[in-house]
Amino acid sequence: MREVECYRLHLETDIAIAVMGSYTYARTCGLAPQQMSEVATTVSELATNVIKYASDGEVWIEHLLLGAREGVRVTVIDRGPGIADLDNALRDHFSTGQSLGLGLPGVQRLMDEFTIDTSSGGTRVAAIKWRA
């Protein structure tokens, strides 16, 4: 297994490739089926945001091994305009793009760890799912 995989995001079809790749990667890391689905859902939500708001970015999937803990880190980076109101963007039902506004808060709930950095030069979201 490769330690890190990268998926470029330019077109909507790239989302599906990244989602399937992340699901497979999570399986090879020994995550349970529910956890594999959570990782894939995270990639789907974040990659969709990249295409919708930034049009260009990357998904990085990384195997983590810290002592007895093992897991998968998903990092999604874009070079878009950033998130103007991060506090609201992390609340359920807030959307600037005519969606349900559940993506970022949903990812935050699905994953065990979640960080987000945003500026006018882009956004970086990192989320970790530890193996049960």
Side-chain angles (χ1 to χ4, degrees):
M1 173 179 66
R2 291 184 294 199
E3 292 299 313
V4 178
E5 289 190 4
C6 178
Y7 300 91
R8 307 276 184 227
L9 301 171
H10 301 290
L11 305 169
E12 283 190 32
T13 53
D14 296 334
I15 297 169
I17 295 166
V19 169
M20 292 308 298
S22 68
Y23 187 88
T24 301
Y25 192 90
R27 184 178 63 220
T28 64
C29 292
L31 270 63
Q34 177 68 31
Q35 294 178 306
M36 293 164 24
S37 293
E38 291 166 347
V39 168
T41 299
T42 292
V43 169
S44 177
E45 291 293 339
L46 297 176
T48 298
N49 284 351
V50 169
I51 296 301
K52 189 171 189 176
Y53 298 107
S55 75
D56 181 57
E58 301 155 357
V59 174
W60 294 83
I61 310 291
E62 176 182 8
H63 180 229
L64 299 178
L65 195 55
L66 298 173
R69 295 179 88 190
E70 189 171 12
V72 172
R73 177 176 20 227
V74 172
T75 305
V76 179
I77 303 166
D78 71 50
R79 288 163 283 289
I83 301 170
D85 189 346
L86 185 57
D87 289 336
N88 272 328
L90 292 172
R91 292 190 186 135
D92 285 338
H93 306 295
F94 177 82
S95 175
T96 59
Q98 300 176 346
S99 68
L100 295 175
L102 297 172
L104 285 176
V107 166
Q108 195 170 21
R109 283 189 294 273
L110 280 177
M111 301 298 275
D112 298 319
E113 297 181 29
F114 176 89
T115 59
I116 185 168
D117 297 305
T118 188
S119 70
S120 60
T123 299
R124 179 186 181 277
V125 179
I128 297 173
K129 178 54 73 176
W130 294 108
R131 191 170 79 177

